[in-house]
Amino acid sequence: MRWWQINKRNADLERELRADLELEEEEQCERGMPPDEAVHAARRAFGNIALIREQTHEAWGWAPVERFWHDILHALRSARRAPLLSAVAILALAFGIGLNAGVFTLLNSLFLLPPTLKDAHSFVQVYPRYTGWFMREDQYSSFTTEDYDSMRSRSKALEDIAAWQVSSPTLDEGKPNATVLATCNYFHVFGIDRPLMGRFFASGDCSRGSATQIAVISESTWKTELGGDSSIIGKTIRLNGSLFQVVGIVSSDAANFLPGGVFIPYTTEPMLEQGRDSLNSPSTPWLAVAGRLRPGFSRSDAQSELSTIMSQQDRAYVKRQVSAFNRKTVLVLTNGSFIENPAIRDRVVAMMIFILGPLTLILLLACCNVTMLFLSRTVTRRGEIAVRLALGAGRGQLARMLLAESLMTAAVGGALSILLVYRVPLMIMNVINASRARSVLMIHPNWLVFCYLAVLVVLATIISSLMPIRAAWKLDLLTALKGREAAATMRSRSTSGLIIVQIALGFVLVCAAVMFGRLPSLITGMNPGFDMRHTIGVPVRVDSSAANRANALTFNRTLESRILAIPGVLSLAYASLGPFRRVPPTEIRLPDQTAGQGKPTSVNNVSSGFFSTFDIPLIKGRAFNSADPTSPNADSVAIVSQAFAREFWQAEDPLGKSIITPDTRRLTIVGLAADTQSESFGVTDGPRLYTLRDPSTLDGGLFVRFSGDPKPVENAIRDTVRSLDRTQLIAPESIWESLEADAEQMRSLAGIILIMASIGLLMAVVGVYGVLSFAVNQRTREFGIKMVLGADRGTIFRSVTRQALRNTLFGLLCGTALAEPAMLALARFQSGSPLPLRGLNMFVFAVSAFLLAAVSLAAAWFPALRATRVDPMQALRTE
């Protein structure tokens, strides 16, 4: 029977019962009984109509539905009797659930959904993993142009294949902008067929050798970077100094995720990246690839076909001797979402856990507070519950009734939380990056978000109902029926457990806030071993191709001489490694070792003025000088760090010793430099080797040392570069200023975590206050007896605060047990980043414990004070 047939079947049942009853009345009347007595006699003979109705419903299978409905009606009546309590519980759960679901909506859009909105099941993205090539075997990489051309021309399973690469050229005279060098079918493959304005790329725009310099910009870039100019179509923008004509705008809500703000044909790569030509290189992987499945083909079909094509490409590489390596390619096909990207899948999962974990703690704290409210309501209704039990209600029925009350509260809270589901992503993006917040408008919850929301509602229902159900089951029926339930002294472990749980959860959140709140000051307050405040990085882009080599060298020489003439400039130098950038190690070995027996070392190829420019002290020996050989084919000299010397020669003097580089050059150590912290914040670099840069090369970044205020020098350097090359759009800044920008991003992240921790701390404090107030109310009779027996008010006050202190300490211990593995896991997760997040940090624990203990004891103060005001005579009247 279907649910919509219930009313009809109920009507039939009622009609049948009424007919049977009338028939029985007629039979009683035929036996000579007066009509009034016949009615009563018929009812006695017929039996209990309500019982018959229930038995019939049981047979139909409706009874569980009816019981559930009655429980919901009872929950509604209970909420109506205590509207304030119900409203507070609903708002607490709405906030906890909504915050979780809102952040999950953002993560779902960024990490879990495929990038396309149109026919997502046919979208596939291809990731190659190479073995026997120049990269690590466990790394996923990109495709060469030849690989892309081969797949596109020979694939039958994919009807269209696009390729792209994300770069960061400077847009006009602003900051670097994410730019996608894409094939002309890029938007079509991503399911975007109609631009917001103008047009997309035509097939001829991506022809090899084409001089077409056009660009499609995103709606976000159009509004934030270009001022929303309505006549932008046909105008030109500069990318790394090259002019591109804007031909179209792509809408922000055209796809789930588009990686760039500007889109240009991928054939312009040699012009955009001066000195590089990945487009025409047969051995440089640089393109990401995605396509659309042809109808009738599956993802496995496409993987088999593309694997065959790439195997043929691998054999062709060896046959054509494109590379000395024997390349073998393994492919992985995904739906294009970040969570399926094999290169970052583990990091994405870990990131989601670290983001949703603190939010889950906030929800648990909200549930604890709601549990306390429901527990107090259950205690005040002990009389009603006792009567129900006396009338035959089972413990299971009682539990079901209380569960329905929690379910109704959580369901209403979940429904209200939908408002936060829409607002939280925008609020988070405003805090992190206000310029990109407009793109969040397209983020909408989907079925996965609502499933997550439903799980949270069920979780909140179960957690908030467990303790009230337990309290109802432990009810002393006899005492409650005598109307003396208020006289019973209650010292439950439940209240202590609630305090401990809330303190423990709050401690974890406060630890996170303290840890991330220290990041900006740690970043800007450290001493890396070199001068950050008086060293400026000059990001000059020079076309270093063979055809332009002479001009590039002349440009560099002229630029060096003019920069040195700027007032306040003291020196300049080149270095192959930039500050605070992770670098792949190189094997360096001793003369008596063979290849493979050396040790990993970071090698910085520097010019002769490097150490004076960065103010890195030399412990022993000398710096480089102009007489030192610089030819890459000749033996030369080198300077090593203290860490290098310890690693290779322990306590021996490194001066005069020799080492061998991977290209078999023999370098003699002439200097010992102090250790620096240039790779990770607050961590001393590992072994570092400084080699002397050949002045005739164009490698390395330019750094300038100055004195005084950095701004005039930065402006003068920028004007000098522009005077030599109008296409150079650079923004020189000191290493300190660059570090400040990184710290600013950390402040945004720390701000979000601080807000979460503050909410958690507030919930924990309110929870502790509520639990202690409840406990004091339950111990009123006990306090009265103690006072009668001689206890003074100070003894009562100390008794309450001692209990609060004991529970707080247990909570802090439990919180430490939770926070310690979380911090270790976080440190392991970000071990590859330069952030100064380390494992266990006693300072974080100590500050968090002190803060939480202080606010918890403050929350316990008022309940303890109220306990001292108990009137012993009034408390004992209930006895």
Side-chain angles (χ1 to χ4, degrees), residues 585-603 635 638 640 644 647-649 657-669 687 689:
T586 301
E587 181 192 10
I588 301 297
R589 56 189 172 89
L590 298 176
D592 58 348
Q593 293 177 323
T594 58
Q597 293 182 328
K599 296 179 179 178
T601 302
S602 61
V603 180
D635 294 344
V640 297
F644 186 101
E647 184 71 21
F648 280 80
W649 301 292
K657 296 187 181 298
S658 298
I659 56 174
I660 306 298
T661 62
D663 56 359
T664 68
R665 293 175 68 199
R666 179 183 288 267
L667 303 179
T668 302
I669 309 304
L689 174 68

Side-chain angles (χ1 to χ4, degrees), residues 166-203:
V166 180
S167 183
S168 300
T170 302
L171 173 61
D172 289 339
E173 297 191 11
K175 294 183 177 179
N177 190 287
T179 298
V180 179
L181 295 97
T183 56
C184 284
N185 60 347
Y186 176 84
F187 294 107
H188 177 68
V189 170
F190 274 73
I192 311 171
D193 296 323
R194 181 172 300 177
L196 183 65
M197 290 175 61
R199 67 174 179 87
F200 289 148
F201 301 135
S203 57

Side-chain angles (χ1 to χ4, degrees), residues 32-48:
M33 191 173 293
D36 294 342
E37 295 182 11
V39 171
H40 298 292
R43 288 186 176 275
R44 286 194 299 272
F46 195 76
N48 190 333

Side-chain angles (χ1 to χ4, degrees), residues 452-467:
Y452 184 74
L453 191 63
V455 170
L456 294 180
V457 169
V458 172
L459 183 69
T461 301
I462 295 174
I463 294 175
S464 59
S465 63
L466 286 178
M467 203 163 285

Side-chain angles (χ1 to χ4, degrees), residues 331-411:
L331 298 180
V332 174
L333 270 64
T334 74
N335 67 353
S337 64
F338 281 98
I339 194 71
E340 291 199 9
N341 184 339
I344 59 172
R345 181 192 298 127
D346 294 341
R347 299 183 71 83
V348 170
V349 172
M351 185 184 301
M352 291 186 67
I353 292 174
F354 282 117
I355 292 175
L356 293 177
L359 295 171
T360 305
L361 297 183
I362 291 178
L363 177 61
L364 291 175
L365 282 169
C367 290
C368 287
N369 288 337
V370 173
T371 298
M372 191 61 245
L373 293 174
F374 285 171
L375 183 61
S376 63
R377 186 168 67 179
T378 302
V379 170
T380 59
R381 291 166 53 192
R382 283 180 295 194
E384 172 198 338
I385 294 173
V387 171
R388 289 178 178 274
L389 291 173
L391 292 177
R395 301 280 181 179
Q397 185 179 354
L398 198 61
R400 200 179 61 240
M401 183 184 71
L402 295 174
L403 192 64
E405 293 179 6
S406 297
L407 175 61
M408 192 200 67
T409 304

